Amino acid sequence: MELQKPRGTRDFLFEEMKERKLVENTMRKVFETYGYQEIKTPIFEDLSLFTLKSGEGIIEEIYHFQDKGGRDLALRPELTAPVARLYLNQLQKAPKPIKMYYFGSCFRYERPQAGRFRQFWQLGCELIGGKSPDCEAEIIAMAANCLEELKLEDYNIHLGNLGILRGILSQNGVSSDQQDQIMALIDKGDVEGLEILLEELQLSPESREILLKLVGMQGHYELIAQVKEMINDYPDALASLEELEELLIMLEAFGFTAYTVDLGIARGLDYYTGTVFEIYVEGLGAQKQISGGGTYNLIEIFGGEKVESTGFAFGFDRVMEALKIQENIKSNKKNVEVFVAPISTDMKLNAFKIAQDLRKNSISTDVELVGRKLKKVLSFADNLGANFVVLVGARELEEDKVTLKDMESGDQEQVPIETVVEILQSRLKDL
């Protein structure tokens, strides 16, 4: 029987893990620079947490099971709902705004395809209790900051405000459930289905024309004036447009103007209430969206007080794929800085002591453990990418010295044991 990994999952080997860790740590640093603190939630939660948020239909899309106590549980398909649950359990009385970020794996039972897996990773944040559009501007700027630090090219942040479309629909007497159906069609880009539904709902010809025109509109700040003229008779929609305009002004203060106003963003989830945004990267094909987020009211749906929240998540695997395509990942290929090797078997205890001394001084060090001959030791150390090899021989030890070999130049010299740490620290610092 040949053992295989489950369908839709992946193994990551050494070099790929280095690259993933580099990207993860770069994003973590940006989040923490903005004052966000890390949280961690369970990999599985009560199934009701996700059905309450997304409806019973999500059961077909996720991994769910009963434990030995008969409790209905599910592997988390995303991290926004667990964060909202954590807030309700432990942070309702905490001073606001609360800034949290997370990194973890999620699971969905769907057909694996390019850029889509059954186990995948999300790195994102939530800002709970902040004031709009202030918090939205900071979060969008932070997302862009992450991508700039990663030197990711050809990304585009599309942003809009759901209140514009919902304001027009509400004024036409369209119910919340019907609005959700419309938003789902817009999210899928199903223009034909949208036209049919709007006709069935008997919207006024003027409103129908405006809606269909809006969902196809994209531009920059100048788009605001054009839309104002179109929706001047829809006060709620106009108020949301003014919120969007204020957000764009604030984004400029945050030093970010490389956005696209996109009034066709719907996100397809009914708990989003205002600003929404998505980030795309050219070159990823159908899976070009690497992030999405906005302002939502999920906590009230879960039974808490009404508190405005804004958040987003990067599809971490898609970010990695984009960086790989652009060849923008520059991880350190070296596994260790120093390799310590005894020249003979009776020198191995001394070699272990020297290796430990180097490690205690924060020098990444490997040591010979299988008794190879010198030629194979040097070959192995070179394969590890070691900068230096410390050779421990009996004759040198009698003089309290070891041999230090520079693996790049091939030069070697004898140095006192008591100075080997200091010498290596100095030389490694200069590399």
Side-chain angles (χ1 to χ4, degrees):
M1 175 183 174
E2 185 179 359
L3 297 176
Q4 297 286 341
K5 64 183 182 297
R7 188 165 183 248
T9 64
R10 292 157 293 164
D11 296 315
F12 301 110
L13 289 176
F14 312 122
E15 295 307 321
E16 193 168 4
M17 279 307 302
K18 281 185 183 179
E19 292 170 351
R20 290 175 72 88
K21 205 69 181 175
L22 175 65
V23 173
E24 175 193 338
N25 289 339
T26 299
M27 288 183 168
R28 284 178 181 273
K29 186 176 179 181
V30 173
F31 283 136
E32 291 174 7
T33 300
Y34 279 71
Y36 287 74
Q37 299 181 77
E38 186 177 13
I39 57 165
K40 191 75 74 176
T41 62
I43 287 178
F44 60 90
E45 298 267 4
D46 284 339
L47 177 61
S48 59
L49 181 69
F50 303 111
T51 56
L52 188 60
K53 176 196 169 199
S54 304
E56 295 292 327
I58 197 173
I59 292 176
E60 298 302 316
E61 303 172 14
I62 64 177
Y63 286 89
H64 61 94
F65 57 96
Q66 281 194 341
D67 67 7
K68 293 180 180 179
R71 289 171 283 263
D72 290 313
L73 304 173
L75 297 180
R76 62 190 183 198
E78 46 85 24
L79 280 152
T80 302
V83 171
R85 192 265 311 147
L86 178 149
Y87 169 80
L88 286 169
N89 290 167
Q90 302 187 56
L91 293 173
Q92 290 191 70
K93 295 182 180 178
K96 295 178 181 60
I98 304 170
K99 293 181 172 184
M100 303 178 279
Y101 81 91
Y102 53 77
F103 178 67
S105 55
C106 302
F107 306 83
R108 280 188 180 267
Y109 188 78
E110 56 187 3
R111 185 172 65 86
Q113 53 186 297
R116 193 180 291 272
F117 303 93
R118 289 180 172 176
Q119 182 184 15
F120 55 95
W121 277 259
Q122 287 187 348
L123 197 158
C125 69
E126 309 294 338
L127 196 162
I128 298 178
K131 183 179 181 296
S132 294
D134 308 48
C135 57
E136 297 158 352
E138 180 181 88
I139 273 189
I140 292 169
M142 184 171 71
N145 200 165
C146 284
L147 301 180
E148 288 164 4
E149 287 296 312
L150 292 171
K151 297 180 171 54
L152 184 68
E153 300 170 356
D154 299 326
Y155 73 86
N156 202 335
I157 298 183
H158 287 228
L159 56 92
N161 191 303
L162 293 180
I164 299 169
L165 301 178
R166 288 190 182 272
I168 295 171
L169 293 169
S170 295
Q171 194 162 322
N172 279 269
V174 180
S175 70
S176 295
D177 288 342
Q178 291 168 333
Q179 287 185 31
D180 293 343
Q181 292 177 44
I182 291 169
M183 293 300 174
L185 289 170
I186 295 172
D187 188 46
K188 292 175 184 176
D190 186 355
V191 178
E192 185 179 345
L194 176 62
E195 290 176 343
I196 292 170
L197 182 56
L198 291 178
E199 194 168 340
E200 288 177 356
L201 294 173
Q202 297 182 340
L203 261 69
S204 69
E206 180 193 9
S207 294
R208 191 160 66 243
E209 183 181 348
I210 289 173
L211 279 166
L212 290 171
K213 193 170 183 180
L214 284 176
V215 298
M217 292 182 73
Q218 293 185 10
H220 206 256
Y221 185 83
E222 71 283 351
L223 198 67
I224 300 295
Q226 186 180 345
V227 177
K228 272 184 182 176
E229 290 183 11
M230 293 171 57
I231 63 172
N232 214 29
D233 295 329
Y234 300 87
D236 289 346
L238 196 58
S240 294
L241 180 66
E242 288 168 354
E243 286 178 11
L244 178 58
E245 182 177 20
E246 190 177 355
L247 170 61
L248 302 184
I249 293 169
M250 287 190 174
L251 281 173
E252 188 170 354
F254 275 95
F256 176 69
T257 56
Y259 57 78
T260 296
V261 175
D262 185 346
L263 301 183
I265 296 179
R267 299 293 294 143
L269 297 167
D270 57 8
Y271 55 84
Y272 281 102
T273 56
T275 296
V276 287
F277 67 94
E278 295 176 347
I279 306 178
Y280 310 114
V281 176
E282 296 305 319
L284 290 181
Q287 308 300 329
K288 68 178 182 177
Q289 184 181 328
I290 64 168
S291 181
T295 296
Y296 62 88
N297 189 20
L298 187 59
I299 289 165
E300 188 178 20
I301 293 174
F302 285 171
E305 79 282 12
K306 187 173 183 177
V307 54
E308 194 168 83
S309 305
T310 302
F312 76 94
F314 283 112
F316 188 78
D317 305 280
R318 293 187 187 177
V319 173
M320 292 302 304
E321 182 63 21
L323 289 168
K324 182 179 177 183
I325 290 171
Q326 295 180 12
E327 298 181 351
N328 269 347
I329 308 178
K330 295 182 175 68
S331 67
N332 180 8
K333 298 295 183 182
K334 295 185 178 297
N335 294 323
V336 293
E337 296 169 313
V338 178
F339 192 86
V340 181
I343 299 297
S344 57
T345 304
D346 57 343
M347 290 291 103
K348 67 180 180 180
L349 297 182
N350 300 93
F352 294 162
K353 290 177 183 178
I354 293 169
Q356 286 301 96
D357 196 22
L358 293 172
R359 290 162 175 166
K360 287 175 182 176
N361 284 276
S362 302
I363 297 173
S364 62
T365 304
D366 201 351
V367 65
E368 176 60 26
L369 297 172
V370 295
R372 278 173 282 231
K373 299 296 183 182
L374 180 59
K375 185 176 180 181
K376 289 188 176 180
V377 163
L378 294 176
S379 176
F380 184 72
D382 186 56
N383 188 57
L384 289 177
N387 301 102
F388 297 94
V389 172
V390 175
L391 299 170
V392 185
R395 188 180 304 169
E396 291 85 352
L397 269 185
E398 288 177 4
E399 300 176 11
D400 291 325
K401 293 181 178 181
V402 292
T403 298
L404 184 62
K405 183 177 180 66
D406 186 318
M407 292 298 288
E408 184 175 351
S409 67
D411 297 337
Q412 61 183 53
E413 61 183 307
Q414 290 185 8
V415 300
I417 290 178
E418 65 267 19
T419 64
V420 70
V421 170
E422 183 181 341
I423 290 170
L424 284 169
Q425 284 176 330
S426 176
R427 294 187 185 178
L428 289 167
K429 186 178 179 182
D430 292 336
L431 292 178

